[in-house]
Amino acid sequence: MLTADHQAGRLVEARGEGLITYPEFVAFRSSFMEKLARAGVRGPVIAVGDLRKVERITDDAQPAVLGLLRSDNARVERSAHLLTARTPFAQLYADLIEKTHNASRRAFTDPWALIDYLAPVLTPAEMQRLEAMLR
């Protein structure tokens, strides 16, 4: 399952758990873009994904995820993805992020390191929301 949310400023949120399939990812992408449009977020966004509960992503969904990450490169000021250390999914997802060729996208296994990475570009309201999201 993947969900998208927007509650503060330019910070856009994603959460995932379990198995991620291609149809689920397509639905997530639509929801994500709709939330951005409805919120009136313009210009580069700050994206954060809490993917610690994702177990696996199907083979057919992987190219779609990579395509989304690459196509959104220009819209992202910074992007941080929180993963569970030493899992097959974490390695796979870190590899997908690397393939985007965007130094502003990073994977983390430590929530504090993720917060430190995003903090310089967050407003106080965005920081408060990020901390609440990662609890």
Side-chain angles (χ1 to χ4, degrees), residues 1-131:
M1 178 177 77
L2 284 171
T3 59
D5 200 5
H6 171 263
Q7 294 191 27
R10 299 174 302 138
L11 185 68
V12 292
E13 309 166 23
R15 290 185 192 274
E17 66 179 66
L19 173 68
I20 307 302
T21 65
Y22 178 77
E24 183 173 304
F25 180 75
V26 170
F28 163 78
R29 179 179 168 85
S30 295
S31 171
F32 188 78
M33 299 311 270
E34 177 186 315
K35 286 184 188 303
L36 285 178
R38 198 172 339 132
V41 177
R42 296 194 195 321
V45 299
I46 300 157
V48 62
D50 185 349
L51 306 177
R52 292 176 286 187
K53 294 181 180 178
V54 174
E55 296 167 10
R56 191 168 85 73
I57 185 170
T58 59
D59 291 344
D60 61 337
Q62 293 171 32
V65 171
L66 179 58
L68 169 68
L69 293 172
R70 281 184 174 161
S71 68
D72 285 349
N73 272 344
R75 290 197 61 182
V76 173
E77 180 174 344
R78 286 197 185 181
S79 177
H81 310 264
L82 189 58
L83 308 168
T84 300
R86 296 181 292 281
T87 64
F89 173 74
Q91 184 57 53
L92 171 71
Y93 200 81
D95 290 345
L96 289 174
I97 290 173
E98 187 175 317
K99 288 178 183 176
T100 68
H101 305 292
N102 183 340
S104 296
R105 287 190 187 279
R106 296 193 186 162
F108 296 87
T109 57
D110 176 359
W112 296 109
L114 182 149
I115 290 170
D116 286 345
Y117 173 66
L118 292 180
V121 296
L122 296 177
T123 66
E126 292 164 345
M127 176 62 87
Q128 183 177 17
R129 178 61 201 154
L130 176 63
E131 290 172 346

